[in-house]
Amino acid sequence: MNRLFLFCFSFLLVLGGLLGSAESATVYLTPQKALSTIFSTSSEVTSSKLNLTAEQLEKINQGCHCQIKRTNWSVYIAKTGAAIDGYAAILNEIGKTDPITFLVALNASGQVKDIEVLVYREPHGSEVTQKLFTKQFLNKDSSSILTVGKDIQHISGATLSSRAITRGVKKFLAVWKEIYGK
Amino acid sequence: MKMGALGKWTKKLVLMGLVGCLMTHAVPAWSSPEIKVDDQEFAKDEESSSRKEALSLGKLHIYGYGEVHFNGNVGPTSNEVDLHRFVLGFGYDFTDKILFRSEVEFEHNFEEQEIEYAYIDFLVKKYFNVRAGVLIIPFGITQSEHEPPVFNGVERPLLDTILIPTTWWEAGAGFYGAFGKGFDYQLYVTSSLSAAEIDSTGAIDRSIAGSNGLRGGRGETSEAPGRDIAVSGRLQYKGVPGLRLGTSFYLGNTGQGKNAIGGAFLTMIGADARYTIEGFDFRANLAYTHLGDAANLNNFLLANDPTFTDFAATSMLGWNLEVAYNLFHHAWPSTTHKLIVFTRYEDVDTNFKMPTGFVANPVYDRNVLRFGLTYLPIENVAVKFDYGIQWNQANGGVDDFNFGIGYYF
């Protein structure tokens, strides 16, 4: 029994060591792929660089009760001809210790159209990358509460990751409202 | 005649085929926008080097939790103050894929010190990773979630102290991962419990028993018997936000080669559920254990100590239900503080079925109705109070009340 145990143990260790050098799938999607899929009917996607002033940032933060620090934003705009189909931005929000990189896409009226997690770095809580979690954000806009425990249900055991996504969506909605929603 | 007819149909088919081909080429099969953003811009946008930690030391992680308790008993039994736990965790990321994690625990202000876990993780795929070392047996939920602010009540539930011997660790290796829409699993091969250990003087050192269930079976990987092997595992589902369903098992001999006992094969199965919604938190747990050769074990213990009465059962059964509500959820929605009121009912019988020749001790068929408050000014700190009404089938039981403060980082 002892020998069998030792054999299994060492086999697993060696296996783990060999496989440990392989790629672990934390990159889910590239931004290009995400945008192509979300705005599949659009003819083009361009980027618009925002440089928010301190006043604009303060106004936005007061309105959404968020703590946006980032002044430089790249907003990706999907168009068909002259008509705007939607907007998107890449967010980086920290879950437990590592940032989650995700794309938030809005329709032309500033409502959430889709959320795609691009990179998930932490060993737990990856359920937040799936539709079972992100579908809760559909059609949310800058007037939505967007608080875990209220209108957004967290994934059991992944409260921090759930909050990170929620925070990012809230931030982009608030920025969109200030710049494009008037 | 046949040839001519075939020829006509063939021509029609070819014509249809050609038209079909032309049509598909004229209309695009699917459309895709032209992305007029260069790769560099995307790369810059995705980049984030920030990391948040209690102590930002790059690859080294330091974490921990602790709790100070006041335990009071209603009646003449004495009260106690206790720095019940002081735990320090150390982790080190050798590479992105090879990680070391450990926890050192000091209980009762240095009365007991142990290493709860110390293992190396080899990250491979989301659905397959390897873990080896001293690891926590994945049975039930308290085994993996027992930082003070994450459960209600000062002490851990009776089910998790008496029946499931939390915290329970063994040496071994296995796999874990996440798959599908919200499933994750752990599966390990490890050392096993020991049904009974006799010290050098011939006295019973520890054993599986009625009073404290499987607790006495734990070797705590401290020069523990390594003859028997166990397989344990857990499957969890979190596909619905707010919901967690889990099931666990443990299978392994515990006789550790003692001929008088035999194999003493232990089977454990458990199920747990949790649902949080609108400030409410519902929890349910169930565990059942079956021990083979329980009669032999009891006879072995009697042979070493003829006054022994704390007999082990063939099977134990326990369950609990808890309802908690955050009083601030609806009454004070803007706050991030939480004031949780909870109640938990437990039914734990460590003498559920006895082996032939042994009688169940009604004292070990226990019930607890506990209620209390947990105040969390922030997620990491909890101030707790609880009162427990305790009774057993022998019409005994001492009520208790407890205060505690706990933290984790």
Side-chain angles (χ1 to χ4, degrees):
Chain A
M1 259 313 186
N2 250 334
R3 259 185 258 164
L4 175 64
F5 179 65
L6 256 152
F7 173 77
C8 288
F9 190 93
S10 0
F11 173 76
L12 279 172
L13 269 179
V14 172
L15 183 74
L18 286 172
L19 296 173
S21 47
E23 266 300 313
S24 97
T26 53
V27 177
Y28 285 82
L29 213 54
T30 62
Q32 292 93 329
K33 189 90 210 294
L35 289 166
S36 300
T37 314
I38 296 169
F39 297 112
S40 59
T41 56
S42 302
S43 58
E44 63 169 33
V45 175
T46 55
S47 82
S48 170
K49 293 208 177 62
L50 298 180
N51 205 331
L52 302 173
T53 64
E55 292 82 33
Q56 278 177 314
L57 205 58
E58 196 183 331
K59 184 169 177 223
I60 295 170
N61 279 329
Q62 269 181 1
C64 69
H65 303 293
C66 353
Q67 281 149 7
I68 305 172
K69 295 195 175 74
R70 181 179 165 200
T71 52
N72 293 317
W73 287 73
S74 273
V75 180
Y76 305 103
I77 306 181
K79 289 201 191 101
T80 303
I84 294 180
D85 299 321
Y87 308 78
I90 295 176
L91 280 301
N92 276 294
E93 289 293 324
I94 296 180
K96 190 158 188 203
T97 52
D98 290 304
I100 306 172
T101 305
F102 55 106
L103 184 95
V104 178
L106 313 178
N107 62 20
S109 333
Q111 295 171 303
V112 175
K113 183 179 157 76
D114 203 346
I115 295 174
E116 290 290 343
V117 175
L118 305 175
V119 188
Y120 192 82
R121 298 174 179 84
E122 283 172 337
H124 299 292
S126 63
E127 289 85 8
V128 300
T129 64
Q130 299 187 29
K131 283 279 167 277
L132 55 95
F133 175 72
T134 58
K135 70 181 185 208
Q136 297 181 89
F137 295 92
L138 214 55
N139 295 323
K140 294 278 179 196
D141 58 28
S142 56
S143 67
S144 307
I145 313 169
L146 285 170
T147 304
V148 168
K150 306 248 155 70
D151 57 335
I152 301 293
Q153 268 279 63
H154 67 281
I155 294 290
S156 193
T159 318
L160 296 176
S161 300
S162 305
R163 287 209 196 119
I165 306 279
T166 309
R167 213 161 49 231
V169 174
K170 203 175 166 96
K171 285 180 182 176
F172 182 45
L173 282 169
V175 170
W176 182 90
K177 184 84 196 343
E178 178 63 25
I179 307 298
Y180 301 97
K182 302 262 154 93
Chain B
M1 259 300 134
K2 249 192 188 169
M3 281 292 270
L6 261 171
K8 196 167 75 175
W9 280 110
T10 315
K11 270 192 231 163
K12 279 201 176 155
L13 277 167
V14 171
L15 194 60
M16 276 165 64
L18 271 173
V19 172
C21 257
L22 281 170
M23 281 176 68
T24 53
H25 280 272
V27 174
W30 76 91
S31 62
S32 177
E34 190 187 340
I35 311 282
K36 291 179 178 169
V37 183
D38 64 57
D39 289 344
Q40 263 187 8
E41 193 178 340
F42 279 130
K44 244 189 124 215
D45 213 2
E46 279 192 293
E47 186 185 272
S48 181
S49 55
S50 54
R51 216 160 181 268
K52 173 191 77 182
E53 263 183 324
L55 195 55
S56 190
L57 293 171
K59 292 175 171 215
L60 178 67
H61 308 274
I62 296 178
Y63 42 96
Y65 65 88
E67 43 198 329
V68 182
H69 296 169
F70 168 83
N71 305 112
N73 291 297
V74 175
T77 336
S78 61
N79 302 336
E80 195 178 270
V81 289
D82 187 24
L83 169 54
H84 200 142
R85 287 182 185 86
F86 183 86
V87 179
L88 287 174
F90 301 99
Y92 187 76
D93 300 343
F94 293 103
T95 71
D96 275 351
K97 315 287 185 295
I98 302 181
L99 319 171
F100 168 71
R101 295 287 182 269
S102 68
E103 256 182 34
V104 184
E105 174 163 4
F106 301 97
E107 276 192 35
H108 313 297
N109 209 333
F110 278 96
E111 186 185 287
E112 273 177 55
Q113 44 293 334
E114 49 225 359
I115 294 182
E116 261 189 29
Y117 60 83
Y119 56 73
I120 299 186
D121 272 348
F122 301 88
L123 303 185
V124 185
K125 290 256 173 266
K126 188 173 136 187
Y127 54 84
F128 179 81
N129 304 281
V130 179
R131 173 170 295 167
V134 173
L135 44 88
I136 303 258
I137 296 294
F139 193 92
I141 198 57
T142 306
Q143 275 284 88
S144 54
E145 274 183 20
H146 49 254
E147 296 84 1
V150 309
F151 66 94
N152 292 306
V154 174
E155 302 295 343
R156 293 161 186 184
L158 190 66
L159 180 66
D160 298 297
T161 40
I162 300 298
L163 207 147
I164 304 169
T166 311
T167 315
W168 176 19
W169 59 89
E170 298 286 352
F175 316 115
Y176 69 93
F179 63 94
K181 289 196 167 61
F183 288 95
D184 65 81
Y185 74 94
Q186 294 175 78
L187 184 65
Y188 304 123
V189 173
T190 65
S191 49
S192 187
L193 299 174
S194 173
E197 287 295 309
I198 309 295
D199 70 23
S200 47
T201 70
I204 299 167
D205 188 25
R206 56 182 179 88
S207 80
I208 293 177
S211 60
N212 61 358
L214 299 175
R215 284 193 96 74
R218 298 180 307 174
E220 299 179 326
T221 64
S222 179
E223 295 185 314
R227 193 192 172 87
D228 289 336
I229 301 181
V231 179
S232 59
R234 178 175 173 78
L235 179 65
Q236 222 168 224
Y237 175 68
K238 302 191 292 194
V240 171
L243 176 70
R244 185 194 58 224
L245 297 173
T247 180
S248 328
F249 77 92
Y250 177 95
L251 299 166
N253 272 342
T254 61
Q256 300 290 355
K258 295 179 179 65
N259 291 324
I261 298 177
F265 192 80
L266 176 66
T267 307
M268 293 175 70
I269 46 170
D272 55 87
R274 183 177 183 185
Y275 190 55
T276 55
I277 186 157
E278 282 296 324
F280 280 95
D281 193 348
F282 303 97
R283 300 188 215 209
N285 296 278
L286 172 74
Y288 173 79
T289 75
H290 180 275
L291 181 68
D293 296 315
N296 291 344
L297 169 61
N298 289 330
N299 287 323
F300 173 82
L301 292 166
L302 272 170
N304 280 282
D305 176 6
T307 64
F308 190 78
T309 55
D310 191 0
F311 299 119
T314 293
S315 50
M316 303 194 291
L317 178 66
W319 57 271
N320 62 32
L321 284 175
E322 177 177 325
V323 180
Y325 174 66
N326 175 18
L327 295 165
F328 291 164
H329 186 91
H330 292 105
W332 191 4
S334 56
T335 186
T336 51
H337 298 218
K338 285 187 182 176
L339 180 61
I340 297 170
V341 61
F342 80 96
T343 179
R344 182 195 301 132
Y345 178 76
E346 300 200 72
D347 186 337
V348 182
D349 190 353
T350 47
N351 264 189
F352 183 60
K353 280 208 182 73
M354 300 303 283
T356 330
F358 296 91
V359 177
N361 186 340
V363 163
Y364 300 147
D365 186 355
R366 287 166 270 211
N367 298 77
V368 188
L369 178 63
R370 190 169 299 282
F371 45 89
L373 288 168
T374 306
Y375 170 58
L376 296 123
I378 53 170
E379 211 171 87
N380 305 55
V381 174
V383 181
K384 300 179 175 182
F385 161 71
D386 69 71
Y387 188 93
I389 303 170
Q390 306 222 31
W391 69 99
N392 56 49
Q393 293 311 303
N395 290 317
V398 178
D399 291 356
D400 64 308
F401 56 96
N402 307 278
F403 294 92
I405 181 158
Y407 65 88
Y408 81 85
F409 63 88

